Amino acid sequence: MIEKTVEIKTKDGVCTTFIVHPDREGPHPAILFYMDAPAIREELRDMARRLASAGYYVMLPNMYYRSGVMELGTMDLSSGSTWLTRMFELMHALTIPLVMDDTAA
């Protein structure tokens, strides 16, 4: 399997994207794998690797790049935690038009 991190230029900056795909000849159908609210983390990279092991070219973009956030760190789901507050701030800053612009890039 081949893994790499690339920088994709968007109209709002540069979106760091984790890419994984088989090392054998393709074609490899593409999957654009959007992260969930807790941001990119090893669990999502592992999911991308499993999809790639089935023959797919998987792209996992960091949708929080506009805020300069790559990972939020260790989850703290306790009510009122700083981590949870920050996750909701980042999540609510994303809009469908922003996601569509990033997808086009």
Side-chain angles (χ1 to χ4, degrees):
M1 202 119 47
I2 297 173
E3 294 183 17
K4 58 187 167 186
T5 301
V6 299
E7 306 275 318
I8 297 175
K9 186 169 174 12
T10 72
K11 72 177 198 172
D12 294 325
V14 177
C15 178
T16 302
T17 302
F18 176 74
I19 294 177
V20 59
H21 59 87
D23 56 3
R24 63 183 185 272
E25 289 295 317
H28 306 293
I31 294 176
L32 188 52
F33 182 30
Y34 293 108
M35 62 182 222
D36 55 358
I40 292 180
R41 55 198 183 283
E42 198 56 31
E43 292 88 347
L44 294 184
R45 288 185 195 95
D46 285 343
M47 288 181 202
R49 289 178 186 110
R50 283 194 300 268
L51 291 166
S53 72
Y56 293 94
Y57 185 100
V58 185
M59 300 176 70
L60 174 61
N62 171 24
M63 302 307 289
Y64 294 156
Y65 73 92
R66 288 176 184 85
S67 300
V69 172
M70 182 63 184
E71 296 189 32
L72 290 176
T74 305
M75 284 190 201
D76 178 1
L77 299 176
S78 58
S79 180
S81 74
T82 303
W83 183 92
L84 198 57
T85 301
R86 182 68 173 138
M87 182 196 73
F88 280 117
E89 287 173 358
L90 292 165
M91 182 180 74
H92 292 300
L94 279 179
T95 64
I96 291 173
L98 290 175
V99 172
M100 296 308 293
D101 285 345
D102 292 343
T103 302

